[in-house]
Amino acid sequence: MADTTSTVRSRELGEGLRAALERATLTGKRAAELIGWSETKLSRVLSGQITVTEVDVAAFLGLCTVRGPERERLLRLAREQDHRGWLQPELKTLVDHENKAVKITDFHDLLIPGLLQTSNYMRAVFERSAVVTAGDIESRISARMARQNLFDHDRRPQFIFYLHESALRLPVGGLAVMSDQLHYLLRMGVRTCITIRVIPSAFGAHAGSAGSCRLMEFAEFTPVVYVEEATVGHFLEEPVEIDTYQKIFAALANCALDEGESNALIAQIAVDLFGDREDRHGYP
């Protein structure tokens, strides 16, 4: 049964405490003995399954000799761990949840999803960004490429990607970049863990018109929705929010082409736009 008490903040706190324990080179058993907890309690705290008082967290941090900004960050998480919903600028929180998920359902309307982008496509997107500086582009690309290793994990999630047809036709990076990107989608789509479905432009208005979103589902706790904004990611956890996005994805499933039809459309767009290698569609 999924844990309904766990939150994004409590799991972030647990990851921070686990890292502190590792840096202190203490075993879980020894740490539990020294702080007066059972091993079961420590395990549940580190996994974010139960809340723990700020006093207890302070004692744990003292045991692990955690000081400075990291101590303040973890104490703040302890004070807020039962709050649901979080505007979070750090990518690490998203990566931790991607690694724990058993299923990730993703919708993108104007761009190819980050987990399916080629490095050259990423570079073209970041170069046109208003918030990514030139000096940060390569580090952003490296971070996003590292996230794609998720596809090769032994415990990788099942992925369902919904793409709007407009994302396949948007001329990002020029003819060569888009050609490589579309063919990369076709190669990734044959993986057993990946389903790619396209919403055709001819369908018109659809349930995802409000913008891109992601639903992450887990074995041990309730689902989380992630909505990416210009400078932060917004984690949504309230039951009514999860229900809303589950309805959105159900509606997208009803209007999207199936896998075979989607692959055929991607391949046809690649042929139509790039097959004769002539710039007939405004590509630089």
Side-chain angles (χ1 to χ4, degrees), residues 124-143:
V125 170
F126 289 138
E127 285 175 347
R128 294 290 179 89
S129 169
V131 297
V132 179
T133 65
D136 288 338
I137 289 176
E138 294 306 318
S139 62
R140 291 287 189 106
I141 292 172
S142 295

Side-chain angles (χ1 to χ4, degrees), residues 115-116 151 183-192 194 196:
L115 287 173
L116 291 177
F151 294 132
H183 285 91
Y184 182 70
L185 288 180
L186 293 172
R187 293 195 299 274
M188 294 299 287
V190 303
R191 293 198 176 198
T192 57
I194 296 175
I196 298 175

Side-chain angles (χ1 to χ4, degrees), residues 32-275:
E33 289 175 353
L34 292 173
I35 205 169
W37 295 356
S38 68
E39 287 186 69
T40 299
K41 176 179 178 178
L42 176 60
S43 175
R44 288 174 63 80
V45 168
L46 297 183
S47 63
Q49 292 179 305
I50 60 173
T51 59
V52 63
T53 68
E54 185 178 353
V55 172
D56 278 349
V57 171
F60 187 94
L61 296 176
L63 175 67
C64 297
T65 63
V66 177
R67 302 184 179 89
E70 179 64 2
R71 174 183 172 84
E72 294 306 313
R73 184 182 78 89
L74 294 174
L75 289 175
R76 183 173 63 255
L77 285 171
R79 292 191 292 271
E80 301 173 351
Q81 62 191 295
D82 58 346
H83 296 183
R84 293 189 178 276
W86 199 13
L87 283 171
Q88 173 58 283
E90 294 186 14
L91 185 63
K92 178 181 179 299
T93 306
L94 173 61
V95 172
D96 286 342
H97 281 76
E98 287 176 340
N99 288 332
K100 291 183 175 74
V102 296
K103 183 179 180 181
I104 296 175
T105 309
D106 199 308
F107 166 69
H108 275 256
D109 49 358
L110 295 178
L111 293 174
I112 304 299
L115 287 173
L116 291 177
Q117 292 176 3
T118 66
S119 60
N120 286 331
Y121 186 100
M122 294 176 197
R123 184 172 290 104
V125 170
F126 289 138
E127 285 175 347
R128 294 290 179 89
S129 169
V131 297
V132 179
T133 65
D136 288 338
I137 289 176
E138 294 306 318
S139 62
R140 291 287 189 106
I141 292 172
S142 295
R144 186 166 288 183
M145 293 296 291
R147 286 172 57 207
Q148 294 183 357
N149 291 331
L150 187 63
F151 294 132
D152 299 317
H153 287 184
D154 291 338
R155 296 181 59 188
R156 59 184 177 270
Q158 283 297 126
F159 296 88
I160 302 177
F161 293 100
Y162 292 99
L163 287 68
H164 195 272
E165 183 179 344
S166 59
L168 304 175
R169 298 187 182 275
L170 188 69
V172 174
L175 187 147
V177 171
M178 281 305 298
S179 179
D180 289 344
Q181 178 63 73
L182 292 180
H183 285 91
Y184 182 70
L185 288 180
L186 293 172
R187 293 195 299 274
M188 294 299 287
V190 303
R191 293 198 176 198
T192 57
C193 67
I194 296 175
T195 297
I196 298 175
R197 297 182 62 187
V198 178
I199 300 164
S201 296
F203 186 83
H206 54 83
S209 297
S212 301
C213 53
R214 171 180 298 181
L215 175 67
M216 294 180 282
E217 299 175 68
F218 310 89
E220 298 180 349
F221 41 87
T222 54
V224 171
V225 168
Y226 180 76
V227 179
E228 188 172 0
E229 301 177 10
T231 58
V232 296
H234 196 174
F235 290 90
L236 305 176
E237 303 176 80
E238 293 290 352
V240 65
E241 296 169 330
I242 303 303
D243 181 64
T244 295
Y245 280 89
Q246 287 175 331
K247 290 176 179 176
I248 289 173
F249 280 114
L252 292 176
N254 287 332
C255 71
L257 302 176
D258 64 27
E259 286 185 81
E261 294 168 332
S262 297
N263 286 339
L265 179 58
I266 295 169
Q268 187 60 55
I269 292 172
V271 171
D272 290 347
L273 296 183
F274 315 115

